[in-house]
Amino acid sequence: EADSVTEADRRRFLRTLGEACGRAGWQVHAYCLMGNHFHLVLETPQPTLVAGMKWFLGTYTQRFNARHGMRGHLFAGRYKSLLVDGSDDMYLRVVCDYVHLNPARAGLLGAEGRLEDYAWSSFPEYLKAPKERVEWLRVDRLLGEMGIRGDDAEGRREFGGAMAARCGVQGNADEELWKGIRRGWKLGAENFVERLAGMGVGMAGDTAIHSREAVEETMEEKAREIARGFLEGRGMGLEDLRKLKKGHPEKIALARELRGKTTMTMAWIAEELNAGVPQTLWRALWESREKSDNTRD
């Protein structure tokens, strides 16, 4: 029973991660779920790390607690983030290898176990055909860094063989870089700190591109773009929508779409759409969903 609960929780974790990718525009290059922690290699084309992680960890905690009848925090403190030098794909390979080889280093594979037998890592996903793989995992950059030309059967076999050969190898050539992953706040070339300083990144790794202001600005832009597309399809403008009554079906429909595709708060959505107080909008969304479920029944 304990094993099945653990597997259900981990599947829910990955589904929630996929939702977070859609909301925050993340690109996942690697992941691995361990016994009491997880590793993610994320690329954030927009500065949505803070808002995305807040939604992801908060939402998963709510779902975990609801499933187990628990309350309170699930994760201990703030997540640790490591900036990886994107100017040279070598560093992406190093950090992805660190994540993918984690089960082997932790002794979770057993004497005869293979790396692909560990189900809670992105490594077995890399070995699947694109149509069978989770859609939010990006594999092309890591394969390219390893000199693998295509995401085809031959390329996947080559990738699998190269990683299998590294399992259990002592004195790995990347071990010194791995120490930096475990202890530091950045991984990159010698001039990486200088380049980070030019981007507004301090020595403590507190970066301008992940600052609260930048995150909120980016997510608002995405939310307003979604709203524009929604309204254009109905031949309306935002001011036209705002003049409708607070519980109008169009407002409820747009609010549901914004909640599903962004990390904006219900307070922001309610104010933007002139849809009343957040609690009223929450109730309207809930009632609308219940009606939809009853109609399908």
Side-chain angles (χ1 to χ4, degrees), residues 12-28 40 42-44 48-60 63 136 219 222 259-263:
R12 184 172 288 103
F13 182 95
L14 293 176
R15 287 197 299 271
T16 308
L17 173 59
E19 292 178 48
C21 290
R23 289 169 177 265
W26 290 348
Q27 297 175 6
V28 177
L40 293 177
L42 297 177
E43 184 173 349
T44 54
T48 57
L49 178 63
V50 174
M53 287 298 286
K54 180 180 179 181
W55 182 91
F56 172 43
L57 299 181
T59 300
Y60 179 70
R63 293 172 179 177
W136 41 266
M219 293 310 298
K222 178 179 179 180
R259 283 294 297 174
K261 295 181 179 179
T262 76
T263 60

mmCIF file of all heavy atoms in Angstrom, residues 12-28 40 42-44 48-60 63 136 219 222 259-263:
data_model
loop_
_atom_site.group_PDB
_atom_site.id
_atom_site.type_symbol
_atom_site.label_atom_id
_atom_site.label_comp_id
_atom_site.label_asym_id
_atom_site.label_seq_id
_atom_site.Cartn_x
_atom_site.Cartn_y
_atom_site.Cartn_z
ATOM 1 N N ARG A 12 1.526 12.269 -9.567
ATOM 2 C CA ARG A 12 0.855 13.572 -9.409
ATOM 3 C C ARG A 12 1.880 14.709 -9.427
ATOM 4 O O ARG A 12 1.621 15.782 -9.970
ATOM 5 C CB ARG A 12 0.066 13.587 -8.101
ATOM 6 C CG ARG A 12 -0.746 14.861 -7.890
ATOM 7 C CD ARG A 12 -1.659 14.753 -6.680
ATOM 8 N NE ARG A 12 -2.779 13.844 -6.953
ATOM 9 C CZ ARG A 12 -2.863 12.596 -6.500
ATOM 10 N NH1 ARG A 12 -1.898 12.089 -5.746
ATOM 11 N NH2 ARG A 12 -3.904 11.844 -6.787
ATOM 12 N N PHE A 13 3.036 14.481 -8.838
ATOM 13 C CA PHE A 13 4.109 15.477 -8.861
ATOM 14 C C PHE A 13 4.493 15.807 -10.296
ATOM 15 O O PHE A 13 4.620 16.978 -10.672
ATOM 16 C CB PHE A 13 5.322 14.938 -8.100
ATOM 17 C CG PHE A 13 6.485 15.881 -8.012
ATOM 18 C CD1 PHE A 13 6.653 16.696 -6.901
ATOM 19 C CD2 PHE A 13 7.419 15.966 -9.035
ATOM 20 C CE1 PHE A 13 7.734 17.579 -6.816
ATOM 21 C CE2 PHE A 13 8.499 16.835 -8.957
ATOM 22 C CZ PHE A 13 8.654 17.644 -7.844
ATOM 23 N N LEU A 14 4.673 14.780 -11.129
ATOM 24 C CA LEU A 14 5.084 15.010 -12.515
ATOM 25 C C LEU A 14 3.973 15.659 -13.327
ATOM 26 O O LEU A 14 4.241 16.501 -14.191
ATOM 27 C CB LEU A 14 5.534 13.693 -13.151
ATOM 28 C CG LEU A 14 6.813 13.090 -12.557
ATOM 29 C CD1 LEU A 14 7.122 11.734 -13.192
ATOM 30 C CD2 LEU A 14 8.005 14.032 -12.738
ATOM 31 N N ARG A 15 2.733 15.293 -13.064
ATOM 32 C CA ARG A 15 1.626 15.956 -13.760
ATOM 33 C C ARG A 15 1.568 17.428 -13.390
ATOM 34 O O ARG A 15 1.344 18.292 -14.251
ATOM 35 C CB ARG A 15 0.293 15.278 -13.427
ATOM 36 C CG ARG A 15 0.091 13.923 -14.075
ATOM 37 C CD ARG A 15 -1.371 13.520 -14.047
ATOM 38 N NE ARG A 15 -1.887 13.406 -12.691
ATOM 39 C CZ ARG A 15 -1.844 12.305 -11.962
ATOM 40 N NH1 ARG A 15 -1.299 11.202 -12.461
ATOM 41 N NH2 ARG A 15 -2.354 12.273 -10.745
ATOM 42 N N THR A 16 1.783 17.728 -12.108
ATOM 43 C CA THR A 16 1.774 19.128 -11.671
ATOM 44 C C THR A 16 2.945 19.886 -12.280
ATOM 45 O O THR A 16 2.811 21.053 -12.653
ATOM 46 C CB THR A 16 1.827 19.202 -10.135
ATOM 47 O OG1 THR A 16 0.793 18.385 -9.576
ATOM 48 C CG2 THR A 16 1.626 20.637 -9.646
ATOM 49 N N LEU A 17 4.099 19.228 -12.390
ATOM 50 C CA LEU A 17 5.252 19.852 -13.045
ATOM 51 C C LEU A 17 4.911 20.194 -14.496
ATOM 52 O O LEU A 17 5.255 21.281 -14.985
ATOM 53 C CB LEU A 17 6.455 18.915 -12.993
ATOM 54 C CG LEU A 17 7.697 19.347 -13.783
ATOM 55 C CD1 LEU A 17 8.205 20.708 -13.297
ATOM 56 C CD2 LEU A 17 8.793 18.296 -13.670
ATOM 57 N N GLY A 18 4.242 19.282 -15.188
ATOM 58 C CA GLY A 18 3.836 19.561 -16.565
ATOM 59 C C GLY A 18 2.911 20.768 -16.652
ATOM 60 O O GLY A 18 3.036 21.596 -17.562
ATOM 61 N N GLU A 19 1.984 20.893 -15.698
ATOM 62 C CA GLU A 19 1.097 22.052 -15.666
ATOM 63 C C GLU A 19 1.899 23.333 -15.443
ATOM 64 O O GLU A 19 1.633 24.368 -16.066
ATOM 65 C CB GLU A 19 0.066 21.888 -14.556
ATOM 66 C CG GLU A 19 -0.956 20.784 -14.798
ATOM 67 C CD GLU A 19 -1.908 20.668 -13.623
ATOM 68 O OE1 GLU A 19 -2.432 21.712 -13.171
ATOM 69 O OE2 GLU A 19 -2.123 19.537 -13.143
ATOM 70 N N ALA A 20 2.872 23.260 -14.526
ATOM 71 C CA ALA A 20 3.704 24.438 -14.243
ATOM 72 C C ALA A 20 4.468 24.873 -15.489
ATOM 73 O O ALA A 20 4.623 26.075 -15.740
ATOM 74 C CB ALA A 20 4.665 24.134 -13.100
ATOM 75 N N CYS A 21 4.952 23.915 -16.266
ATOM 76 C CA CYS A 21 5.669 24.248 -17.503
ATOM 77 C C CYS A 21 4.765 25.009 -18.456
ATOM 78 O O CYS A 21 5.187 25.985 -19.092
ATOM 79 C CB CYS A 21 6.183 22.970 -18.173
ATOM 80 S SG CYS A 21 7.521 22.157 -17.288
ATOM 81 N N GLY A 22 3.515 24.569 -18.574
ATOM 82 C CA GLY A 22 2.580 25.262 -19.452
ATOM 83 C C GLY A 22 2.266 26.665 -18.977
ATOM 84 O O GLY A 22 2.141 27.596 -19.776
ATOM 85 N N ARG A 23 2.138 26.841 -17.669
ATOM 86 C CA ARG A 23 1.805 28.144 -17.122
ATOM 87 C C ARG A 23 2.978 29.112 -17.207
ATOM 88 O O ARG A 23 2.809 30.280 -17.547
ATOM 89 C CB ARG A 23 1.394 27.998 -15.650
ATOM 90 C CG ARG A 23 0.062 27.326 -15.420
ATOM 91 C CD ARG A 23 -0.127 26.983 -13.957
ATOM 92 N NE ARG A 23 -1.431 26.405 -13.688
ATOM 93 C CZ ARG A 23 -2.496 27.083 -13.278
ATOM 94 N NH1 ARG A 23 -2.396 28.378 -13.091
ATOM 95 N NH2 ARG A 23 -3.639 26.482 -13.066
ATOM 96 N N ALA A 24 4.175 28.641 -16.843
ATOM 97 C CA ALA A 24 5.338 29.524 -16.706
ATOM 98 C C ALA A 24 6.245 29.518 -17.935
ATOM 99 O O ALA A 24 7.224 30.259 -17.968
ATOM 100 C CB ALA A 24 6.143 29.128 -15.466
ATOM 101 N N GLY A 25 5.944 28.695 -18.947
ATOM 102 C CA GLY A 25 6.780 28.651 -20.140
ATOM 103 C C GLY A 25 8.132 27.996 -19.905
ATOM 104 O O GLY A 25 9.098 28.289 -20.609
ATOM 105 N N TRP A 26 8.221 27.082 -18.925
ATOM 106 C CA TRP A 26 9.482 26.406 -18.643
ATOM 107 C C TRP A 26 9.813 25.370 -19.702
ATOM 108 O O TRP A 26 8.924 24.788 -20.324
ATOM 109 C CB TRP A 26 9.403 25.681 -17.303
ATOM 110 C CG TRP A 26 9.359 26.550 -16.097
ATOM 111 C CD1 TRP A 26 9.609 27.898 -16.032
ATOM 112 C CD2 TRP A 26 9.027 26.137 -14.764
ATOM 113 N NE1 TRP A 26 9.471 28.335 -14.738
ATOM 114 C CE2 TRP A 26 9.113 27.289 -13.939
ATOM 115 C CE3 TRP A 26 8.686 24.911 -14.192
ATOM 116 C CZ2 TRP A 26 8.856 27.231 -12.572
ATOM 117 C CZ3 TRP A 26 8.425 24.857 -12.832
ATOM 118 C CH2 TRP A 26 8.516 26.007 -12.035
ATOM 119 N N GLN A 27 11.101 25.130 -19.873
ATOM 120 C CA GLN A 27 11.596 24.005 -20.668
ATOM 121 C C GLN A 27 12.411 23.120 -19.736
ATOM 122 O O GLN A 27 13.391 23.569 -19.152
ATOM 123 C CB GLN A 27 12.454 24.494 -21.839
ATOM 124 C CG GLN A 27 11.692 25.350 -22.829
ATOM 125 C CD GLN A 27 12.591 25.921 -23.915
ATOM 126 O OE1 GLN A 27 13.768 25.603 -24.000
ATOM 127 N NE2 GLN A 27 12.025 26.774 -24.751
ATOM 128 N N VAL A 28 11.998 21.874 -19.571
ATOM 129 C CA VAL A 28 12.689 20.948 -18.676
ATOM 130 C C VAL A 28 13.674 20.119 -19.496
ATOM 131 O O VAL A 28 13.297 19.485 -20.475
ATOM 132 C CB VAL A 28 11.690 20.020 -17.956
ATOM 133 C CG1 VAL A 28 12.425 19.007 -17.087
ATOM 134 C CG2 VAL A 28 10.730 20.842 -17.107
ATOM 135 N N LEU A 40 15.641 19.356 -10.689
ATOM 136 C CA LEU A 40 15.090 19.812 -11.969
ATOM 137 C C LEU A 40 16.134 20.645 -12.692
ATOM 138 O O LEU A 40 16.781 21.494 -12.075
ATOM 139 C CB LEU A 40 13.852 20.692 -11.757
ATOM 140 C CG LEU A 40 12.583 20.070 -11.176
ATOM 141 C CD1 LEU A 40 11.530 21.156 -10.991
ATOM 142 C CD2 LEU A 40 12.056 18.975 -12.084
ATOM 143 N N LEU A 42 15.911 23.297 -15.374
ATOM 144 C CA LEU A 42 14.917 24.124 -16.046
ATOM 145 C C LEU A 42 15.574 25.226 -16.851
ATOM 146 O O LEU A 42 16.549 25.831 -16.407
ATOM 147 C CB LEU A 42 13.996 24.799 -15.024
ATOM 148 C CG LEU A 42 13.119 23.940 -14.132
ATOM 149 C CD1 LEU A 42 12.362 24.838 -13.165
ATOM 150 C CD2 LEU A 42 12.139 23.135 -14.965
ATOM 151 N N GLU A 43 15.018 25.488 -18.019
ATOM 152 C CA GLU A 43 15.368 26.680 -18.777
ATOM 153 C C GLU A 43 14.155 27.601 -18.745
ATOM 154 O O GLU A 43 13.029 27.160 -18.995
ATOM 155 C CB GLU A 43 15.719 26.322 -20.220
ATOM 156 C CG GLU A 43 16.198 27.493 -21.050
ATOM 157 C CD GLU A 43 16.701 27.072 -22.422
ATOM 158 O OE1 GLU A 43 16.879 25.867 -22.665
ATOM 159 O OE2 GLU A 43 16.914 27.979 -23.260
ATOM 160 N N THR A 44 14.381 28.867 -18.402
ATOM 161 C CA THR A 44 13.277 29.819 -18.267
ATOM 162 C C THR A 44 13.445 30.926 -19.297
ATOM 163 O O THR A 44 14.081 31.944 -19.016
ATOM 164 C CB THR A 44 13.240 30.409 -16.849
ATOM 165 O OG1 THR A 44 14.527 30.963 -16.533
ATOM 166 C CG2 THR A 44 12.923 29.333 -15.823
ATOM 167 N N THR A 48 10.349 33.590 -15.099
ATOM 168 C CA THR A 48 9.183 33.085 -14.372
ATOM 169 C C THR A 48 9.553 32.024 -13.342
ATOM 170 O O THR A 48 8.685 31.277 -12.910
ATOM 171 C CB THR A 48 8.175 32.489 -15.364
ATOM 172 O OG1 THR A 48 8.818 31.454 -16.124
ATOM 173 C CG2 THR A 48 7.632 33.544 -16.305
ATOM 174 N N LEU A 49 10.825 31.951 -12.959
ATOM 175 C CA LEU A 49 11.223 30.916 -12.014
ATOM 176 C C LEU A 49 10.515 31.083 -10.677
ATOM 177 O O LEU A 49 9.946 30.125 -10.136
ATOM 178 C CB LEU A 49 12.740 30.933 -11.805
ATOM 179 C CG LEU A 49 13.270 29.908 -10.793
ATOM 180 C CD1 LEU A 49 13.005 28.494 -11.269
ATOM 181 C CD2 LEU A 49 14.759 30.117 -10.533
ATOM 182 N N VAL A 50 10.541 32.276 -10.119
ATOM 183 C CA VAL A 50 9.980 32.499 -8.788
ATOM 184 C C VAL A 50 8.476 32.245 -8.779
ATOM 185 O O VAL A 50 7.962 31.480 -7.955
ATOM 186 C CB VAL A 50 10.301 33.924 -8.304
ATOM 187 C CG1 VAL A 50 9.599 34.210 -6.984
ATOM 188 C CG2 VAL A 50 11.808 34.106 -8.150
ATOM 189 N N ALA A 51 7.754 32.883 -9.692
ATOM 190 C CA ALA A 51 6.297 32.721 -9.726
ATOM 191 C C ALA A 51 5.926 31.280 -10.062
ATOM 192 O O ALA A 51 4.986 30.723 -9.489
ATOM 193 C CB ALA A 51 5.688 33.673 -10.745
ATOM 194 N N GLY A 52 6.657 30.675 -10.999
ATOM 195 C CA GLY A 52 6.361 29.302 -11.389
ATOM 196 C C GLY A 52 6.589 28.317 -10.252
ATOM 197 O O GLY A 52 5.775 27.418 -10.015
ATOM 198 N N MET A 53 7.705 28.469 -9.529
ATOM 199 C CA MET A 53 7.991 27.566 -8.421
ATOM 200 C C MET A 53 6.997 27.769 -7.278
ATOM 201 O O MET A 53 6.599 26.804 -6.613
ATOM 202 C CB MET A 53 9.422 27.768 -7.928
ATOM 203 C CG MET A 53 10.478 27.225 -8.860
ATOM 204 S SD MET A 53 10.381 25.418 -9.107
ATOM 205 C CE MET A 53 11.017 24.832 -7.543
ATOM 206 N N LYS A 54 6.602 29.002 -7.050
ATOM 207 C CA LYS A 54 5.606 29.265 -6.011
ATOM 208 C C LYS A 54 4.315 28.533 -6.339
ATOM 209 O O LYS A 54 3.715 27.876 -5.475
ATOM 210 C CB LYS A 54 5.353 30.765 -5.892
ATOM 211 C CG LYS A 54 4.328 31.135 -4.838
ATOM 212 C CD LYS A 54 4.127 32.642 -4.757
ATOM 213 C CE LYS A 54 3.081 33.011 -3.715
ATOM 214 N NZ LYS A 54 2.864 34.486 -3.648
ATOM 215 N N TRP A 55 3.867 28.625 -7.595
ATOM 216 C CA TRP A 55 2.636 27.931 -7.993
ATOM 217 C C TRP A 55 2.828 26.423 -7.934
ATOM 218 O O TRP A 55 1.981 25.690 -7.388
ATOM 219 C CB TRP A 55 2.224 28.341 -9.410
ATOM 220 C CG TRP A 55 0.936 27.669 -9.813
ATOM 221 C CD1 TRP A 55 -0.332 28.160 -9.644
ATOM 222 C CD2 TRP A 55 0.798 26.372 -10.410
ATOM 223 N NE1 TRP A 55 -1.242 27.235 -10.098
ATOM 224 C CE2 TRP A 55 -0.583 26.141 -10.570
ATOM 225 C CE3 TRP A 55 1.710 25.395 -10.819
ATOM 226 C CZ2 TRP A 55 -1.076 24.960 -11.119
ATOM 227 C CZ3 TRP A 55 1.214 24.212 -11.366
ATOM 228 C CH2 TRP A 55 -0.154 24.004 -11.522
ATOM 229 N N PHE A 56 3.937 25.925 -8.471
ATOM 230 C CA PHE A 56 4.193 24.489 -8.558
ATOM 231 C C PHE A 56 4.238 23.840 -7.175
ATOM 232 O O PHE A 56 3.510 22.875 -6.892
ATOM 233 C CB PHE A 56 5.516 24.270 -9.311
ATOM 234 C CG PHE A 56 6.012 22.863 -9.319
ATOM 235 C CD1 PHE A 56 5.146 21.798 -9.531
ATOM 236 C CD2 PHE A 56 7.357 22.587 -9.121
ATOM 237 C CE1 PHE A 56 5.609 20.487 -9.539
ATOM 238 C CE2 PHE A 56 7.835 21.291 -9.131
ATOM 239 C CZ PHE A 56 6.954 20.237 -9.329
ATOM 240 N N LEU A 57 5.080 24.356 -6.290
ATOM 241 C CA LEU A 57 5.234 23.752 -4.974
ATOM 242 C C LEU A 57 3.972 23.930 -4.126
ATOM 243 O O LEU A 57 3.580 23.017 -3.396
ATOM 244 C CB LEU A 57 6.447 24.354 -4.258
ATOM 245 C CG LEU A 57 7.796 24.152 -4.958
ATOM 246 C CD1 LEU A 57 8.922 24.770 -4.136
ATOM 247 C CD2 LEU A 57 8.070 22.681 -5.216
ATOM 248 N N GLY A 58 3.344 25.105 -4.258
ATOM 249 C CA GLY A 58 2.121 25.338 -3.499
ATOM 250 C C GLY A 58 0.983 24.439 -3.951
ATOM 251 O O GLY A 58 0.257 23.858 -3.128
ATOM 252 N N THR A 59 0.833 24.303 -5.264
ATOM 253 C CA THR A 59 -0.244 23.473 -5.803
ATOM 254 C C THR A 59 -0.030 22.000 -5.469
ATOM 255 O O THR A 59 -0.960 21.293 -5.068
ATOM 256 C CB THR A 59 -0.350 23.663 -7.321
ATOM 257 O OG1 THR A 59 -0.628 25.036 -7.608
ATOM 258 C CG2 THR A 59 -1.447 22.791 -7.919
ATOM 259 N N TYR A 60 1.213 21.532 -5.624
ATOM 260 C CA TYR A 60 1.466 20.124 -5.307
ATOM 261 C C TYR A 60 1.242 19.850 -3.816
ATOM 262 O O TYR A 60 0.695 18.802 -3.445
ATOM 263 C CB TYR A 60 2.878 19.709 -5.701
ATOM 264 C CG TYR A 60 3.130 18.256 -5.353
ATOM 265 C CD1 TYR A 60 2.488 17.237 -6.057
ATOM 266 C CD2 TYR A 60 3.951 17.917 -4.284
ATOM 267 C CE1 TYR A 60 2.666 15.917 -5.714
ATOM 268 C CE2 TYR A 60 4.132 16.580 -3.936
ATOM 269 C CZ TYR A 60 3.497 15.586 -4.659
ATOM 270 O OH TYR A 60 3.669 14.265 -4.314
ATOM 271 N N ARG A 63 -2.421 19.433 -3.217
ATOM 272 C CA ARG A 63 -2.910 18.155 -3.733
ATOM 273 C C ARG A 63 -2.442 16.987 -2.859
ATOM 274 O O ARG A 63 -3.195 16.043 -2.612
ATOM 275 C CB ARG A 63 -2.446 17.977 -5.182
ATOM 276 C CG ARG A 63 -3.106 18.982 -6.122
ATOM 277 C CD ARG A 63 -2.520 18.940 -7.523
ATOM 278 N NE ARG A 63 -3.217 19.904 -8.377
ATOM 279 C CZ ARG A 63 -2.884 20.139 -9.653
ATOM 280 N NH1 ARG A 63 -1.866 19.498 -10.215
ATOM 281 N NH2 ARG A 63 -3.565 21.029 -10.351
ATOM 282 N N TRP A 136 6.463 18.106 -22.255
ATOM 283 C CA TRP A 136 7.175 19.257 -21.694
ATOM 284 C C TRP A 136 8.663 19.007 -21.495
ATOM 285 O O TRP A 136 9.380 19.889 -21.032
ATOM 286 C CB TRP A 136 6.533 19.696 -20.375
ATOM 287 C CG TRP A 136 6.116 18.586 -19.471
ATOM 288 C CD1 TRP A 136 4.880 18.008 -19.385
ATOM 289 C CD2 TRP A 136 6.940 17.899 -18.517
ATOM 290 N NE1 TRP A 136 4.877 17.021 -18.437
ATOM 291 C CE2 TRP A 136 6.130 16.932 -17.876
ATOM 292 C CE3 TRP A 136 8.278 18.017 -18.133
ATOM 293 C CZ2 TRP A 136 6.609 16.078 -16.896
ATOM 294 C CZ3 TRP A 136 8.762 17.173 -17.151
ATOM 295 C CH2 TRP A 136 7.934 16.215 -16.545
ATOM 296 N N MET A 219 4.547 37.657 -16.290
ATOM 297 C CA MET A 219 3.316 36.894 -16.178
ATOM 298 C C MET A 219 2.102 37.746 -16.523
ATOM 299 O O MET A 219 1.147 37.255 -17.114
ATOM 300 C CB MET A 219 3.196 36.321 -14.771
ATOM 301 C CG MET A 219 4.233 35.260 -14.433
ATOM 302 S SD MET A 219 4.378 33.943 -15.699
ATOM 303 C CE MET A 219 2.736 33.234 -15.657
ATOM 304 N N LYS A 222 1.841 37.823 -20.261
ATOM 305 C CA LYS A 222 1.277 36.584 -20.788
ATOM 306 C C LYS A 222 -0.229 36.541 -20.549
ATOM 307 O O LYS A 222 -1.000 36.166 -21.442
ATOM 308 C CB LYS A 222 1.944 35.378 -20.122
ATOM 309 C CG LYS A 222 1.368 34.038 -20.575
ATOM 310 C CD LYS A 222 2.070 32.873 -19.911
ATOM 311 C CE LYS A 222 1.460 31.549 -20.371
ATOM 312 N NZ LYS A 222 2.121 30.379 -19.741
ATOM 313 N N ARG A 259 -6.616 31.216 -15.034
ATOM 314 C CA ARG A 259 -6.167 30.393 -13.918
ATOM 315 C C ARG A 259 -5.469 29.124 -14.410
ATOM 316 O O ARG A 259 -4.543 28.621 -13.784
ATOM 317 C CB ARG A 259 -7.362 29.991 -13.041
ATOM 318 C CG ARG A 259 -7.844 31.086 -12.139
ATOM 319 C CD ARG A 259 -6.831 31.454 -11.079
ATOM 320 N NE ARG A 259 -6.538 30.370 -10.164
ATOM 321 C CZ ARG A 259 -5.599 30.422 -9.235
ATOM 322 N NH1 ARG A 259 -4.858 31.500 -9.097
ATOM 323 N NH2 ARG A 259 -5.387 29.395 -8.432
ATOM 324 N N GLY A 260 -5.927 28.622 -15.552
ATOM 325 C CA GLY A 260 -5.359 27.381 -16.075
ATOM 326 C C GLY A 260 -4.035 27.545 -16.793
ATOM 327 O O GLY A 260 -3.262 26.596 -16.893
ATOM 328 N N LYS A 261 -3.766 28.760 -17.294
ATOM 329 C CA LYS A 261 -2.596 28.947 -18.145
ATOM 330 C C LYS A 261 -1.554 29.920 -17.599
ATOM 331 O O LYS A 261 -0.513 30.113 -18.224
ATOM 332 C CB LYS A 261 -3.053 29.427 -19.533
ATOM 333 C CG LYS A 261 -3.888 28.400 -20.294
ATOM 334 C CD LYS A 261 -4.287 28.911 -21.665
ATOM 335 C CE LYS A 261 -5.093 27.868 -22.424
ATOM 336 N NZ LYS A 261 -5.516 28.371 -23.769
ATOM 337 N N THR A 262 -1.825 30.546 -16.467
ATOM 338 C CA THR A 262 -0.867 31.489 -15.889
ATOM 339 C C THR A 262 -0.778 31.267 -14.381
ATOM 340 O O THR A 262 -1.527 30.468 -13.819
ATOM 341 C CB THR A 262 -1.270 32.963 -16.151
ATOM 342 O OG1 THR A 262 -2.345 33.319 -15.273
ATOM 343 C CG2 THR A 262 -1.711 33.167 -17.588
ATOM 344 N N THR A 263 0.129 32.006 -13.753
ATOM 345 C CA THR A 263 0.248 31.942 -12.297
ATOM 346 C C THR A 263 -0.340 33.192 -11.640
ATOM 347 O O THR A 263 -0.071 33.453 -10.466
ATOM 348 C CB THR A 263 1.723 31.797 -11.881
ATOM 349 O OG1 THR A 263 2.465 32.931 -12.359
ATOM 350 C CG2 THR A 263 2.330 30.526 -12.440
#
